[in-house]
Amino acid sequence: MYKKNLLKIILGLFLGSFLMVSCSSDDDPNPPTISLSQTSITVEAEATNSITVSYIAEASPSSVTVTKYLDGTATGTPQNFPATSGTGNFLFSFEVSVDDSDSGIVKYNFTIVDNANQVSQVELVVDIELTTRQLLLKYDWLLTDEIRLKTGESDINQVYTDDVYRFNEDGTYQKSIGDTPDNFSDIWYKHCEWNLDDATGVLKLHRTGAFGSDVYDVMTITKIDKQGLEANITYLGLDVFDESYDASEDYVKKMSTQAKGNSFDPYGPGSDDDVEGPSPTPCNTSDFVNN
């Protein structure tokens, strides 16, 4: 009799413990989950972009924290978005800079932590595209080649192979002619303004001569990236100097990028001509009508 009662007590204690463990296990909240409307995105620098962040949390989370990373290193101040229990979502808006495009992998980390200290996270990888205008402003541009379409061969004058162009945000531009000026234009024209038609890629450069005459160099950019550009350009009057040329000749102009630095020297070598150029004649008002 005593043994039967003891067995019942042991069984009761065992069953009670099992039920307590089972109930405790059933009462533990599931870890939170978090997801994005997209986990990779291609954006333009300095443009506003947005994605939808969705989460599920059985235990009320304290917040969703968003941290920006540039090539694996956290940057800036993390942003905290309040979250509630159950299902929720919010719109996350962001911008990336032109300089971010040089920073390797750009990503945003989204981390949710609930009141049970359970964590879930997801990442957004950002691919940055620079517009033609942003690329022109970001780099200096070394003239590397001019391909004559009639022959398909390089036809660049060697005195131009060290020419470097710099485009400024205020609409002005400069050219460093390096150590080899040509016989006329490099010592005659002041570099004035540039204009880009973003839709067509037509780039116009305005120059004013020593006696106030104006010249517009017009090219159509067909390819541009962080390494260089290609542009179509038509030269007129080359036959005046060489009868083997036609009155109108089509070329592909090629330039490569250079990092902007303090070594850029406008016009000729030295600082004496950096401001006025080859003459004190001021730039005329430009006429930037892209037809």
Side-chain angles (χ1 to χ4, degrees), residues 5-280:
N5 289 337
L6 181 60
L7 182 59
K8 288 180 180 180
I9 292 172
I10 293 174
L11 289 174
L13 291 172
F14 175 78
L15 181 59
S17 298
F18 176 79
L19 291 174
M20 287 178 65
V21 171
S22 298
C23 291
S24 175
S25 178
D26 291 341
D27 290 341
D28 286 342
N30 290 319
T33 62
I34 187 169
S35 61
L36 310 176
S37 55
Q38 51 193 120
T39 55
S40 62
I41 187 173
T42 300
V43 302
E44 288 186 358
E46 300 178 350
T48 300
N49 314 279
S50 60
I51 62 167
T52 300
V53 183
S54 302
Y55 60 86
I56 300 175
E58 293 184 3
S60 297
S62 57
S63 66
V64 175
T65 301
V66 183
T67 306
K68 181 180 179 181
Y69 285 84
L70 298 178
D71 206 27
T73 301
T75 183
T77 302
Q79 297 175 259
N80 293 314
F81 295 85
T84 59
S85 61
T87 300
N89 61 74
F90 61 89
L91 195 66
F92 174 68
S93 299
F94 66 97
E95 293 183 7
V96 290
S97 70
V98 172
D99 290 339
D100 286 345
S101 65
D102 293 330
S103 303
I105 298 176
V106 179
K107 65 182 180 181
Y108 289 86
N109 176 276
F110 298 78
T111 300
I112 185 172
V113 182
D114 67 12
N115 284 342
N117 205 33
Q118 300 181 108
V119 180
S120 181
Q121 58 183 328
V122 66
E123 290 183 335
L124 171 69
V125 178
V126 181
D127 181 32
I128 302 173
E129 289 185 343
L130 300 183
T131 65
T132 297
R133 185 178 300 275
Q134 289 168 337
L135 285 165
L136 288 175
L137 290 170
K138 181 175 177 58
Y139 299 103
D140 286 338
W141 297 87
L142 170 67
L143 180 61
T144 56
D145 209 350
E146 290 189 308
I147 306 299
R148 185 184 180 193
L149 291 188
K150 184 176 181 179
T151 62
E153 297 178 354
S154 175
D155 195 38
I156 190 171
N157 188 322
Q158 288 303 306
V159 301
Y160 297 133
T161 55
D162 58 355
D163 288 0
V164 179
Y165 292 79
R166 172 172 288 186
F167 300 97
N168 305 310
E169 292 208 31
D170 63 1
T172 62
Y173 85 97
Q174 299 158 301
K175 188 180 85 165
S176 172
I177 63 177
D179 295 324
T180 53
D182 65 17
N183 293 326
F184 176 65
S185 66
D186 283 341
I187 57 176
W188 188 257
Y189 286 101
K190 175 173 292 185
H191 309 306
C192 300
E193 296 176 279
W194 67 283
N195 174 271
L196 173 71
D197 186 313
D198 297 278
T200 64
V202 173
L203 175 64
K204 296 181 73 173
L205 308 181
H206 169 226
R207 295 180 285 150
T208 295
F211 291 161
S213 60
D214 291 307
V215 170
Y216 290 89
D217 302 308
V218 183
M219 63 193 83
T220 301
I221 297 174
T222 58
K223 178 182 177 182
I224 186 168
D225 54 29
K226 296 178 182 180
Q227 285 71 50
L229 69 77
E230 294 183 7
N232 296 329
I233 189 169
T234 300
Y235 291 124
L236 304 177
L238 295 180
D239 58 321
V240 175
F241 306 100
D242 188 335
E243 293 182 355
S244 65
Y245 288 90
D246 296 331
S248 176
E249 289 275 0
D250 293 327
Y251 280 78
V252 174
K253 184 185 290 283
K254 296 184 178 183
M255 297 182 179
S256 63
T257 57
Q258 292 187 341
K260 281 189 171 181
N262 295 329
S263 62
F264 180 82
D265 184 9
Y267 299 104
S271 59
D272 292 344
D273 60 355
D274 286 0
V275 177
E276 286 196 342
S279 78

